[in-house]
Amino acid sequence: MHGVDSGAAAGAGSLHILVQRDELRIVLSGEIDASLTGEFNAAMNEATSSALPVTFDLRHVTFMDSFGVAFVSKIALAAPARPRLLHVPPTVKFLLEVTSTADLVEIVE
């Protein structure tokens, strides 16, 4: 297993990529917005090159804007299977449903 850490300051958004034998796990925390563009690009490259199923862990997300929703959508369209989303906060779930992104992923309750 290896990972990529965005090194974000406390309160800011962060993205960690954990590549495991059977999945690529993307752990998001804090405020998920355009400030994570570099990390989003790295995660997108890893997801498309690994061909592994993608799982998002959103338990520590405090805010997500349309940029974060677009990131989840892009991963969903590029991944070999429907990505799973774990521990989705109610506000993020609402955004995913309103934008129809929820139709592209599996939200695990």
Side-chain angles (χ1 to χ4, degrees), residues 11 15 19 23-24 26 28 42 46 57 65 79 84 90 92 105-106:
L15 183 153
V19 181
E23 78 172 0
L24 182 124
I26 299 172
L28 299 172
E46 192 71 47
D57 185 335
D65 67 6
R84 294 180 340 128
V92 173
V105 298
E106 175 188 353

Side-chain angles (χ1 to χ4, degrees), residues 8-76:
S14 69
L15 183 153
H16 304 276
I17 304 166
L18 305 173
V19 181
Q20 301 172 343
R21 186 174 342 141
D22 59 347
E23 78 172 0
L24 182 124
R25 184 168 292 228
I26 299 172
V27 181
L28 299 172
S29 61
E31 298 179 6
I32 307 305
D33 57 24
S35 68
L36 295 173
T37 299
E39 291 83 354
F40 288 163
N41 290 336
M44 189 65 166
N45 290 338
E46 192 71 47
T48 55
S49 67
S50 73
L52 291 169
V54 176
T55 299
F56 287 89
D57 185 335
L58 305 176
R59 78 182 77 212
H60 298 294
V61 171
T62 58
F63 170 82
M64 182 182 284
D65 67 6
S66 60
F67 195 86
V69 172
F71 168 65
V72 172
S73 295
K74 286 179 183 179
I75 292 282

